[in-house]
Amino acid sequence: MLSKEASLIRDMFNSVAESYDSANDLLSLGMHRVWKKNFVNGISPDTKVFFEILDCATGTGDIAIELQRCYRRAKVTGIDFSEKMLDQAPAKAEKAGFKKIRFLAADILKLPFSDNSFDHITISFGIRNVENLLAAIAEFERVLKPNGQLHVLEFGQPQNQIWSKVYGIYHRKLLPFLGGLISGNQEAYSYLNKSSEEFPSGKEFVKQFSSTAWKELEMTSLLGSVAYIYRLQKN
Ligand SMILES: C[S@@+](CC[C@H](N)C(=O)[O-])C[C@H]1O[C@@H](n2cnc3c(N)ncnc32)[C@H](O)[C@@H]1O
């Protein structure tokens, strides 16, 4: 089992923060942008009324910015515990023309918000890094309003044997090598790849949500289960 000690994870993201966006573009050949757009477009909130969205593990702010682009009337907040990842978000948002997004340094396991605050929560490629998955789910449940929705974009593991082998070569060998070259921290990219191999995906992920507190709305596999989009509703 990988160590997911919060301070190690934060230090690791602080160390790759500067090259994080360019590494993402190169390592996914731009695919992460397509996935993120689809992820945000699929939220389908009631746009006639004012609503609040929290983007957890916002990193350099991609999802928060896309949320504001798609849903102009929404109040968007992005949180992350890596100050260096977060440092880049306000300037990126301003460059994209969105000055009113609120970015805060905070831990998912201790969200600085009252109960029942948000209509939607998003988290993209962040949930597998959290030290305690069930505690994170409990925090999401606490700050979501009744009937509020949680949207998760996260890596999975390809199911098809041939695809799994091909993707495995890319994921285990090429990704840590290239990620190391771009960021100067090969260890971080080896961690990122191992963490996605160990993280529960598909039905296993959905099982972590208690059926009395949550209702599954949708589970979509991307690129033969390389990643998934999950949408759940708080009861
Ligand atoms: C792989 S990045 C994803 C960033 C962004 N959401 C994206 O899709 O590009 C994962 C982020 O999760 C953040 N993170 C991990 N555990 C966290 C926690 N417990 N609280 C807040 N942020 C956390 C890291 O600091 C990092 O910025």
PDB file of all heavy atoms in Angstrom, residues 130-166:
ATOM      1  N   VAL A 130      -6.365  11.548  -1.433  1.00  0.00           N
ATOM      2  CA  VAL A 130      -6.778  11.924  -0.077  1.00  0.00           C
ATOM      3  C   VAL A 130      -6.477  10.769   0.887  1.00  0.00           C
ATOM      4  O   VAL A 130      -6.703   9.605   0.564  1.00  0.00           O
ATOM      5  CB  VAL A 130      -8.283  12.293  -0.069  1.00  0.00           C
ATOM      6  CG1 VAL A 130      -8.756  12.596   1.340  1.00  0.00           C
ATOM      7  CG2 VAL A 130      -8.524  13.495  -0.973  1.00  0.00           C
ATOM      8  N   GLU A 131      -5.971  11.140   2.051  1.00  0.00           N
ATOM      9  CA  GLU A 131      -5.495  10.145   3.016  1.00  0.00           C
ATOM     10  C   GLU A 131      -6.605   9.180   3.448  1.00  0.00           C
ATOM     11  O   GLU A 131      -6.364   7.995   3.628  1.00  0.00           O
ATOM     12  CB  GLU A 131      -4.960  10.911   4.236  1.00  0.00           C
ATOM     13  CG  GLU A 131      -3.942  10.151   5.029  1.00  0.00           C
ATOM     14  CD  GLU A 131      -3.256  11.049   6.056  1.00  0.00           C
ATOM     15  OE1 GLU A 131      -3.532  12.271   6.116  1.00  0.00           O
ATOM     16  OE2 GLU A 131      -2.437  10.504   6.799  1.00  0.00           O
ATOM     17  N   ASN A 132      -7.821   9.702   3.633  1.00  0.00           N
ATOM     18  CA  ASN A 132      -8.893   8.867   4.158  1.00  0.00           C
ATOM     19  C   ASN A 132     -10.151   9.099   3.308  1.00  0.00           C
ATOM     20  O   ASN A 132     -10.855  10.099   3.458  1.00  0.00           O
ATOM     21  CB  ASN A 132      -9.129   9.262   5.623  1.00  0.00           C
ATOM     22  CG  ASN A 132     -10.187   8.405   6.271  1.00  0.00           C
ATOM     23  OD1 ASN A 132     -11.052   7.835   5.613  1.00  0.00           O
ATOM     24  ND2 ASN A 132     -10.118   8.313   7.587  1.00  0.00           N
ATOM     25  N   LEU A 133     -10.407   8.156   2.400  1.00  0.00           N
ATOM     26  CA  LEU A 133     -11.507   8.319   1.439  1.00  0.00           C
ATOM     27  C   LEU A 133     -12.866   8.462   2.135  1.00  0.00           C
ATOM     28  O   LEU A 133     -13.669   9.331   1.786  1.00  0.00           O
ATOM     29  CB  LEU A 133     -11.520   7.133   0.462  1.00  0.00           C
ATOM     30  CG  LEU A 133     -12.678   7.069  -0.529  1.00  0.00           C
ATOM     31  CD1 LEU A 133     -12.734   8.293  -1.436  1.00  0.00           C
ATOM     32  CD2 LEU A 133     -12.601   5.806  -1.384  1.00  0.00           C
ATOM     33  N   LEU A 134     -13.108   7.615   3.161  1.00  0.00           N
ATOM     34  CA  LEU A 134     -14.434   7.656   3.802  1.00  0.00           C
ATOM     35  C   LEU A 134     -14.643   8.967   4.564  1.00  0.00           C
ATOM     36  O   LEU A 134     -15.750   9.522   4.579  1.00  0.00           O
ATOM     37  CB  LEU A 134     -14.623   6.449   4.730  1.00  0.00           C
ATOM     38  CG  LEU A 134     -14.651   5.100   3.993  1.00  0.00           C
ATOM     39  CD1 LEU A 134     -14.898   3.955   4.965  1.00  0.00           C
ATOM     40  CD2 LEU A 134     -15.694   5.068   2.878  1.00  0.00           C
ATOM     41  N   ALA A 135     -13.546   9.490   5.145  1.00  0.00           N
ATOM     42  CA  ALA A 135     -13.654  10.783   5.848  1.00  0.00           C
ATOM     43  C   ALA A 135     -13.934  11.904   4.840  1.00  0.00           C
ATOM     44  O   ALA A 135     -14.678  12.843   5.126  1.00  0.00           O
ATOM     45  CB  ALA A 135     -12.379  11.064   6.634  1.00  0.00           C
ATOM     46  N   ALA A 136     -13.341  11.800   3.648  1.00  0.00           N
ATOM     47  CA  ALA A 136     -13.595  12.807   2.602  1.00  0.00           C
ATOM     48  C   ALA A 136     -15.064  12.747   2.178  1.00  0.00           C
ATOM     49  O   ALA A 136     -15.737  13.787   2.059  1.00  0.00           O
ATOM     50  CB  ALA A 136     -12.688  12.568   1.400  1.00  0.00           C
ATOM     51  N   ILE A 137     -15.580  11.531   1.994  1.00  0.00           N
ATOM     52  CA  ILE A 137     -16.992  11.380   1.584  1.00  0.00           C
ATOM     53  C   ILE A 137     -17.904  11.987   2.663  1.00  0.00           C
ATOM     54  O   ILE A 137     -18.892  12.661   2.363  1.00  0.00           O
ATOM     55  CB  ILE A 137     -17.324   9.889   1.317  1.00  0.00           C
ATOM     56  CG1 ILE A 137     -16.552   9.399   0.083  1.00  0.00           C
ATOM     57  CG2 ILE A 137     -18.824   9.689   1.133  1.00  0.00           C
ATOM     58  CD1 ILE A 137     -16.668   7.903  -0.197  1.00  0.00           C
ATOM     59  N   ALA A 138     -17.525  11.788   3.941  1.00  0.00           N
ATOM     60  CA  ALA A 138     -18.339  12.343   5.037  1.00  0.00           C
ATOM     61  C   ALA A 138     -18.320  13.879   4.991  1.00  0.00           C
ATOM     62  O   ALA A 138     -19.352  14.524   5.241  1.00  0.00           O
ATOM     63  CB  ALA A 138     -17.813  11.842   6.382  1.00  0.00           C
ATOM     64  N   GLU A 139     -17.166  14.461   4.658  1.00  0.00           N
ATOM     65  CA  GLU A 139     -17.088  15.930   4.548  1.00  0.00           C
ATOM     66  C   GLU A 139     -17.930  16.433   3.366  1.00  0.00           C
ATOM     67  O   GLU A 139     -18.630  17.440   3.480  1.00  0.00           O
ATOM     68  CB  GLU A 139     -15.629  16.393   4.367  1.00  0.00           C
ATOM     69  CG  GLU A 139     -14.893  16.749   5.643  1.00  0.00           C
ATOM     70  CD  GLU A 139     -15.572  17.859   6.443  1.00  0.00           C
ATOM     71  OE1 GLU A 139     -16.547  17.556   7.160  1.00  0.00           O
ATOM     72  OE2 GLU A 139     -15.125  19.007   6.378  1.00  0.00           O
ATOM     73  N   PHE A 140     -17.874  15.719   2.237  1.00  0.00           N
ATOM     74  CA  PHE A 140     -18.691  16.118   1.079  1.00  0.00           C
ATOM     75  C   PHE A 140     -20.179  16.089   1.478  1.00  0.00           C
ATOM     76  O   PHE A 140     -20.943  16.992   1.147  1.00  0.00           O
ATOM     77  CB  PHE A 140     -18.477  15.179  -0.117  1.00  0.00           C
ATOM     78  CG  PHE A 140     -17.065  15.162  -0.669  1.00  0.00           C
ATOM     79  CD1 PHE A 140     -16.542  14.012  -1.263  1.00  0.00           C
ATOM     80  CD2 PHE A 140     -16.266  16.281  -0.610  1.00  0.00           C
ATOM     81  CE1 PHE A 140     -15.255  13.990  -1.785  1.00  0.00           C
ATOM     82  CE2 PHE A 140     -14.970  16.272  -1.127  1.00  0.00           C
ATOM     83  CZ  PHE A 140     -14.465  15.122  -1.703  1.00  0.00           C
ATOM     84  N   GLU A 141     -20.535  15.026   2.194  1.00  0.00           N
ATOM     85  CA  GLU A 141     -21.940  14.874   2.600  1.00  0.00           C
ATOM     86  C   GLU A 141     -22.355  16.019   3.530  1.00  0.00           C
ATOM     87  O   GLU A 141     -23.450  16.563   3.418  1.00  0.00           O
ATOM     88  CB  GLU A 141     -22.088  13.518   3.306  1.00  0.00           C
ATOM     89  CG  GLU A 141     -23.505  13.130   3.580  1.00  0.00           C
ATOM     90  CD  GLU A 141     -23.571  11.847   4.407  1.00  0.00           C
ATOM     91  OE1 GLU A 141     -22.733  10.944   4.210  1.00  0.00           O
ATOM     92  OE2 GLU A 141     -24.458  11.779   5.271  1.00  0.00           O
ATOM     93  N   ARG A 142     -21.449  16.384   4.411  1.00  0.00           N
ATOM     94  CA  ARG A 142     -21.753  17.455   5.377  1.00  0.00           C
ATOM     95  C   ARG A 142     -21.987  18.803   4.675  1.00  0.00           C
ATOM     96  O   ARG A 142     -22.953  19.493   4.963  1.00  0.00           O
ATOM     97  CB  ARG A 142     -20.593  17.584   6.383  1.00  0.00           C
ATOM     98  CG  ARG A 142     -20.836  18.620   7.472  1.00  0.00           C
ATOM     99  CD  ARG A 142     -19.659  18.741   8.407  1.00  0.00           C
ATOM    100  NE  ARG A 142     -18.495  19.382   7.813  1.00  0.00           N
ATOM    101  CZ  ARG A 142     -18.364  20.687   7.575  1.00  0.00           C
ATOM    102  NH1 ARG A 142     -19.348  21.518   7.875  1.00  0.00           N
ATOM    103  NH2 ARG A 142     -17.262  21.161   7.025  1.00  0.00           N
ATOM    104  N   VAL A 143     -21.104  19.177   3.730  1.00  0.00           N
ATOM    105  CA  VAL A 143     -21.215  20.540   3.165  1.00  0.00           C
ATOM    106  C   VAL A 143     -22.171  20.637   1.966  1.00  0.00           C
ATOM    107  O   VAL A 143     -22.497  21.736   1.538  1.00  0.00           O
ATOM    108  CB  VAL A 143     -19.838  21.166   2.810  1.00  0.00           C
ATOM    109  CG1 VAL A 143     -18.934  21.208   4.024  1.00  0.00           C
ATOM    110  CG2 VAL A 143     -19.168  20.465   1.652  1.00  0.00           C
ATOM    111  N   LEU A 144     -22.593  19.482   1.430  1.00  0.00           N
ATOM    112  CA  LEU A 144     -23.583  19.529   0.341  1.00  0.00           C
ATOM    113  C   LEU A 144     -24.982  19.776   0.913  1.00  0.00           C
ATOM    114  O   LEU A 144     -25.316  19.266   1.986  1.00  0.00           O
ATOM    115  CB  LEU A 144     -23.623  18.194  -0.408  1.00  0.00           C
ATOM    116  CG  LEU A 144     -22.782  18.016  -1.658  1.00  0.00           C
ATOM    117  CD1 LEU A 144     -22.986  16.585  -2.208  1.00  0.00           C
ATOM    118  CD2 LEU A 144     -23.088  19.026  -2.754  1.00  0.00           C
ATOM    119  N   LYS A 145     -25.786  20.521   0.153  1.00  0.00           N
ATOM    120  CA  LYS A 145     -27.183  20.694   0.558  1.00  0.00           C
ATOM    121  C   LYS A 145     -27.940  19.378   0.307  1.00  0.00           C
ATOM    122  O   LYS A 145     -27.491  18.583  -0.530  1.00  0.00           O
ATOM    123  CB  LYS A 145     -27.829  21.789  -0.301  1.00  0.00           C
ATOM    124  CG  LYS A 145     -27.261  23.172  -0.054  1.00  0.00           C
ATOM    125  CD  LYS A 145     -27.947  24.176  -0.979  1.00  0.00           C
ATOM    126  CE  LYS A 145     -27.297  25.536  -0.840  1.00  0.00           C
ATOM    127  NZ  LYS A 145     -27.757  26.488  -1.863  1.00  0.00           N
ATOM    128  N   PRO A 146     -29.081  19.166   0.953  1.00  0.00           N
ATOM    129  CA  PRO A 146     -29.882  17.981   0.619  1.00  0.00           C
ATOM    130  C   PRO A 146     -30.181  17.984  -0.888  1.00  0.00           C
ATOM    131  O   PRO A 146     -30.441  19.046  -1.459  1.00  0.00           O
ATOM    132  CB  PRO A 146     -31.164  18.173   1.434  1.00  0.00           C
ATOM    133  CG  PRO A 146     -30.767  19.104   2.541  1.00  0.00           C
ATOM    134  CD  PRO A 146     -29.678  19.982   2.015  1.00  0.00           C
ATOM    135  N   ASN A 147     -30.077  16.823  -1.513  1.00  0.00           N
ATOM    136  CA  ASN A 147     -30.225  16.660  -2.978  1.00  0.00           C
ATOM    137  C   ASN A 147     -29.067  17.268  -3.774  1.00  0.00           C
ATOM    138  O   ASN A 147     -29.117  17.298  -5.003  1.00  0.00           O
ATOM    139  CB  ASN A 147     -31.535  17.237  -3.516  1.00  0.00           C
ATOM    140  CG  ASN A 147     -32.728  16.535  -2.934  1.00  0.00           C
ATOM    141  OD1 ASN A 147     -32.678  15.323  -2.748  1.00  0.00           O
ATOM    142  ND2 ASN A 147     -33.763  17.279  -2.599  1.00  0.00           N
ATOM    143  N   GLY A 148     -28.063  17.791  -3.085  1.00  0.00           N
ATOM    144  CA  GLY A 148     -26.876  18.307  -3.771  1.00  0.00           C
ATOM    145  C   GLY A 148     -26.110  17.157  -4.425  1.00  0.00           C
ATOM    146  O   GLY A 148     -26.279  15.985  -4.058  1.00  0.00           O
ATOM    147  N   GLN A 149     -25.280  17.509  -5.407  1.00  0.00           N
ATOM    148  CA  GLN A 149     -24.603  16.445  -6.173  1.00  0.00           C
ATOM    149  C   GLN A 149     -23.082  16.526  -6.079  1.00  0.00           C
ATOM    150  O   GLN A 149     -22.512  17.619  -6.047  1.00  0.00           O
ATOM    151  CB  GLN A 149     -25.023  16.525  -7.643  1.00  0.00           C
ATOM    152  CG  GLN A 149     -26.497  16.212  -7.829  1.00  0.00           C
ATOM    153  CD  GLN A 149     -26.928  16.275  -9.286  1.00  0.00           C
ATOM    154  OE1 GLN A 149     -26.115  16.426 -10.194  1.00  0.00           O
ATOM    155  NE2 GLN A 149     -28.226  16.151  -9.499  1.00  0.00           N
ATOM    156  N   LEU A 150     -22.493  15.336  -6.073  1.00  0.00           N
ATOM    157  CA  LEU A 150     -21.032  15.214  -6.080  1.00  0.00           C
ATOM    158  C   LEU A 150     -20.616  14.647  -7.436  1.00  0.00           C
ATOM    159  O   LEU A 150     -21.186  13.656  -7.900  1.00  0.00           O
ATOM    160  CB  LEU A 150     -20.595  14.244  -4.973  1.00  0.00           C
ATOM    161  CG  LEU A 150     -19.124  13.830  -4.974  1.00  0.00           C
ATOM    162  CD1 LEU A 150     -18.224  15.017  -4.620  1.00  0.00           C
ATOM    163  CD2 LEU A 150     -18.887  12.693  -3.986  1.00  0.00           C
ATOM    164  N   HIS A 151     -19.625  15.289  -8.070  1.00  0.00           N
ATOM    165  CA  HIS A 151     -19.153  14.865  -9.392  1.00  0.00           C
ATOM    166  C   HIS A 151     -17.665  14.551  -9.279  1.00  0.00           C
ATOM    167  O   HIS A 151     -16.886  15.423  -8.881  1.00  0.00           O
ATOM    168  CB  HIS A 151     -19.361  15.979 -10.426  1.00  0.00           C
ATOM    169  CG  HIS A 151     -20.762  16.515 -10.412  1.00  0.00           C
ATOM    170  ND1 HIS A 151     -21.727  16.097 -11.297  1.00  0.00           N
ATOM    171  CD2 HIS A 151     -21.356  17.415  -9.596  1.00  0.00           C
ATOM    172  CE1 HIS A 151     -22.864  16.734 -11.033  1.00  0.00           C
ATOM    173  NE2 HIS A 151     -22.661  17.535 -10.005  1.00  0.00           N
ATOM    174  N   VAL A 152     -17.292  13.344  -9.636  1.00  0.00           N
ATOM    175  CA  VAL A 152     -15.900  12.912  -9.471  1.00  0.00           C
ATOM    176  C   VAL A 152     -15.338  12.477 -10.823  1.00  0.00           C
ATOM    177  O   VAL A 152     -15.968  11.690 -11.538  1.00  0.00           O
ATOM    178  CB  VAL A 152     -15.813  11.706  -8.497  1.00  0.00           C
ATOM    179  CG1 VAL A 152     -14.366  11.262  -8.314  1.00  0.00           C
ATOM    180  CG2 VAL A 152     -16.433  12.038  -7.145  1.00  0.00           C
ATOM    181  N   LEU A 153     -14.165  13.024 -11.169  1.00  0.00           N
ATOM    182  CA  LEU A 153     -13.421  12.539 -12.348  1.00  0.00           C
ATOM    183  C   LEU A 153     -12.143  11.918 -11.792  1.00  0.00           C
ATOM    184  O   LEU A 153     -11.395  12.585 -11.071  1.00  0.00           O
ATOM    185  CB  LEU A 153     -13.111  13.726 -13.268  1.00  0.00           C
ATOM    186  CG  LEU A 153     -12.170  13.508 -14.462  1.00  0.00           C
ATOM    187  CD1 LEU A 153     -12.711  12.455 -15.425  1.00  0.00           C
ATOM    188  CD2 LEU A 153     -11.986  14.825 -15.233  1.00  0.00           C
ATOM    189  N   GLU A 154     -11.930  10.638 -12.082  1.00  0.00           N
ATOM    190  CA  GLU A 154     -10.745   9.983 -11.504  1.00  0.00           C
ATOM    191  C   GLU A 154     -10.267   8.839 -12.394  1.00  0.00           C
ATOM    192  O   GLU A 154     -11.060   8.272 -13.155  1.00  0.00           O
ATOM    193  CB  GLU A 154     -11.089   9.452 -10.104  1.00  0.00           C
ATOM    194  CG  GLU A 154      -9.905   8.970  -9.284  1.00  0.00           C
ATOM    195  CD  GLU A 154      -8.735   9.970  -9.241  1.00  0.00           C
ATOM    196  OE1 GLU A 154      -8.712  10.855  -8.372  1.00  0.00           O
ATOM    197  OE2 GLU A 154      -7.841   9.850 -10.109  1.00  0.00           O
ATOM    198  N   PHE A 155      -8.983   8.543 -12.293  1.00  0.00           N
ATOM    199  CA  PHE A 155      -8.432   7.428 -13.057  1.00  0.00           C
ATOM    200  C   PHE A 155      -9.032   6.102 -12.612  1.00  0.00           C
ATOM    201  O   PHE A 155      -9.414   5.932 -11.452  1.00  0.00           O
ATOM    202  CB  PHE A 155      -6.915   7.361 -12.881  1.00  0.00           C
ATOM    203  CG  PHE A 155      -6.186   8.424 -13.645  1.00  0.00           C
ATOM    204  CD1 PHE A 155      -5.457   9.404 -12.984  1.00  0.00           C
ATOM    205  CD2 PHE A 155      -6.246   8.459 -15.036  1.00  0.00           C
ATOM    206  CE1 PHE A 155      -4.793  10.391 -13.700  1.00  0.00           C
ATOM    207  CE2 PHE A 155      -5.593   9.453 -15.758  1.00  0.00           C
ATOM    208  CZ  PHE A 155      -4.860  10.422 -15.081  1.00  0.00           C
ATOM    209  N   GLY A 156      -9.073   5.159 -13.557  1.00  0.00           N
ATOM    210  CA  GLY A 156      -9.488   3.797 -13.255  1.00  0.00           C
ATOM    211  C   GLY A 156      -8.408   2.847 -13.745  1.00  0.00           C
ATOM    212  O   GLY A 156      -7.239   3.246 -13.856  1.00  0.00           O
ATOM    213  N   GLN A 157      -8.799   1.628 -14.043  1.00  0.00           N
ATOM    214  CA  GLN A 157      -7.855   0.655 -14.579  1.00  0.00           C
ATOM    215  C   GLN A 157      -8.522  -0.021 -15.778  1.00  0.00           C
ATOM    216  O   GLN A 157      -9.628  -0.544 -15.643  1.00  0.00           O
ATOM    217  CB  GLN A 157      -7.504  -0.412 -13.535  1.00  0.00           C
ATOM    218  CG  GLN A 157      -6.849   0.112 -12.267  1.00  0.00           C
ATOM    219  CD  GLN A 157      -7.853   0.414 -11.165  1.00  0.00           C
ATOM    220  OE1 GLN A 157      -8.925  -0.163 -11.128  1.00  0.00           O
ATOM    221  NE2 GLN A 157      -7.509   1.329 -10.264  1.00  0.00           N
ATOM    222  N   PRO A 158      -7.862   0.007 -16.969  1.00  0.00           N
ATOM    223  CA  PRO A 158      -8.467  -0.627 -18.150  1.00  0.00           C
ATOM    224  C   PRO A 158      -8.805  -2.098 -17.876  1.00  0.00           C
ATOM    225  O   PRO A 158      -8.034  -2.795 -17.232  1.00  0.00           O
ATOM    226  CB  PRO A 158      -7.382  -0.512 -19.212  1.00  0.00           C
ATOM    227  CG  PRO A 158      -6.515   0.593 -18.774  1.00  0.00           C
ATOM    228  CD  PRO A 158      -6.579   0.629 -17.280  1.00  0.00           C
ATOM    229  N   GLN A 159      -9.982  -2.529 -18.372  1.00  0.00           N
ATOM    230  CA  GLN A 159     -10.447  -3.898 -18.110  1.00  0.00           C
ATOM    231  C   GLN A 159     -10.035  -4.859 -19.224  1.00  0.00           C
ATOM    232  O   GLN A 159      -9.684  -5.999 -18.957  1.00  0.00           O
ATOM    233  CB  GLN A 159     -11.978  -3.917 -17.971  1.00  0.00           C
ATOM    234  CG  GLN A 159     -12.508  -2.995 -16.888  1.00  0.00           C
ATOM    235  CD  GLN A 159     -11.988  -3.378 -15.516  1.00  0.00           C
ATOM    236  OE1 GLN A 159     -12.074  -4.535 -15.119  1.00  0.00           O
ATOM    237  NE2 GLN A 159     -11.416  -2.418 -14.789  1.00  0.00           N
ATOM    238  N   ASN A 160     -10.029  -4.374 -20.451  1.00  0.00           N
ATOM    239  CA  ASN A 160      -9.665  -5.222 -21.582  1.00  0.00           C
ATOM    240  C   ASN A 160      -8.185  -5.603 -21.495  1.00  0.00           C
ATOM    241  O   ASN A 160      -7.329  -4.745 -21.250  1.00  0.00           O
ATOM    242  CB  ASN A 160      -9.956  -4.428 -22.872  1.00  0.00           C
ATOM    243  CG  ASN A 160      -9.459  -5.144 -24.100  1.00  0.00           C
ATOM    244  OD1 ASN A 160      -8.258  -5.222 -24.345  1.00  0.00           O
ATOM    245  ND2 ASN A 160     -10.385  -5.672 -24.867  1.00  0.00           N
ATOM    246  N   GLN A 161      -7.889  -6.922 -21.671  1.00  0.00           N
ATOM    247  CA  GLN A 161      -6.513  -7.415 -21.412  1.00  0.00           C
ATOM    248  C   GLN A 161      -5.469  -6.758 -22.306  1.00  0.00           C
ATOM    249  O   GLN A 161      -4.392  -6.392 -21.840  1.00  0.00           O
ATOM    250  CB  GLN A 161      -6.476  -8.918 -21.608  1.00  0.00           C
ATOM    251  CG  GLN A 161      -6.985  -9.651 -20.390  1.00  0.00           C
ATOM    252  CD  GLN A 161      -6.630 -11.115 -20.415  1.00  0.00           C
ATOM    253  OE1 GLN A 161      -6.126 -11.624 -21.410  1.00  0.00           O
ATOM    254  NE2 GLN A 161      -6.914 -11.806 -19.325  1.00  0.00           N
ATOM    255  N   ILE A 162      -5.804  -6.642 -23.606  1.00  0.00           N
ATOM    256  CA  ILE A 162      -4.802  -6.075 -24.535  1.00  0.00           C
ATOM    257  C   ILE A 162      -4.598  -4.593 -24.234  1.00  0.00           C
ATOM    258  O   ILE A 162      -3.465  -4.113 -24.109  1.00  0.00           O
ATOM    259  CB  ILE A 162      -5.250  -6.285 -26.005  1.00  0.00           C
ATOM    260  CG1 ILE A 162      -5.356  -7.781 -26.258  1.00  0.00           C
ATOM    261  CG2 ILE A 162      -4.269  -5.639 -26.985  1.00  0.00           C
ATOM    262  CD1 ILE A 162      -6.014  -8.148 -27.559  1.00  0.00           C
ATOM    263  N   TRP A 163      -5.702  -3.884 -24.085  1.00  0.00           N
ATOM    264  CA  TRP A 163      -5.625  -2.447 -23.781  1.00  0.00           C
ATOM    265  C   TRP A 163      -4.897  -2.211 -22.443  1.00  0.00           C
ATOM    266  O   TRP A 163      -4.087  -1.301 -22.300  1.00  0.00           O
ATOM    267  CB  TRP A 163      -7.029  -1.861 -23.788  1.00  0.00           C
ATOM    268  CG  TRP A 163      -7.164  -0.382 -23.480  1.00  0.00           C
ATOM    269  CD1 TRP A 163      -8.154   0.187 -22.763  1.00  0.00           C
ATOM    270  CD2 TRP A 163      -6.309   0.697 -23.897  1.00  0.00           C
ATOM    271  NE1 TRP A 163      -7.978   1.552 -22.695  1.00  0.00           N
ATOM    272  CE2 TRP A 163      -6.836   1.884 -23.382  1.00  0.00           C
ATOM    273  CE3 TRP A 163      -5.129   0.770 -24.637  1.00  0.00           C
ATOM    274  CZ2 TRP A 163      -6.256   3.131 -23.581  1.00  0.00           C
ATOM    275  CZ3 TRP A 163      -4.536   2.013 -24.837  1.00  0.00           C
ATOM    276  CH2 TRP A 163      -5.102   3.183 -24.317  1.00  0.00           C
ATOM    277  N   SER A 164      -5.155  -3.093 -21.498  1.00  0.00           N
ATOM    278  CA  SER A 164      -4.525  -2.968 -20.182  1.00  0.00           C
ATOM    279  C   SER A 164      -2.999  -3.108 -20.307  1.00  0.00           C
ATOM    280  O   SER A 164      -2.241  -2.381 -19.652  1.00  0.00           O
ATOM    281  CB  SER A 164      -5.116  -4.048 -19.267  1.00  0.00           C
ATOM    282  OG  SER A 164      -4.388  -4.125 -18.105  1.00  0.00           O
ATOM    283  N   LYS A 165      -2.555  -4.038 -21.188  1.00  0.00           N
ATOM    284  CA  LYS A 165      -1.099  -4.230 -21.374  1.00  0.00           C
ATOM    285  C   LYS A 165      -0.478  -2.998 -22.037  1.00  0.00           C
ATOM    286  O   LYS A 165       0.557  -2.489 -21.594  1.00  0.00           O
ATOM    287  CB  LYS A 165      -0.833  -5.457 -22.243  1.00  0.00           C
ATOM    288  CG  LYS A 165      -0.983  -6.737 -21.471  1.00  0.00           C
ATOM    289  CD  LYS A 165      -0.048  -7.826 -22.009  1.00  0.00           C
ATOM    290  CE  LYS A 165       0.014  -8.970 -21.027  1.00  0.00           C
ATOM    291  NZ  LYS A 165      -0.844 -10.079 -21.340  1.00  0.00           N
ATOM    292  N   VAL A 166      -1.134  -2.530 -23.129  1.00  0.00           N
ATOM    293  CA  VAL A 166      -0.600  -1.373 -23.866  1.00  0.00           C
ATOM    294  C   VAL A 166      -0.545  -0.155 -22.940  1.00  0.00           C
ATOM    295  O   VAL A 166       0.475   0.528 -22.806  1.00  0.00           O
ATOM    296  CB  VAL A 166      -1.484  -1.044 -25.098  1.00  0.00           C
ATOM    297  CG1 VAL A 166      -1.008   0.214 -25.795  1.00  0.00           C
ATOM    298  CG2 VAL A 166      -1.515  -2.220 -26.053  1.00  0.00           C
TER     299      VAL A 166
END
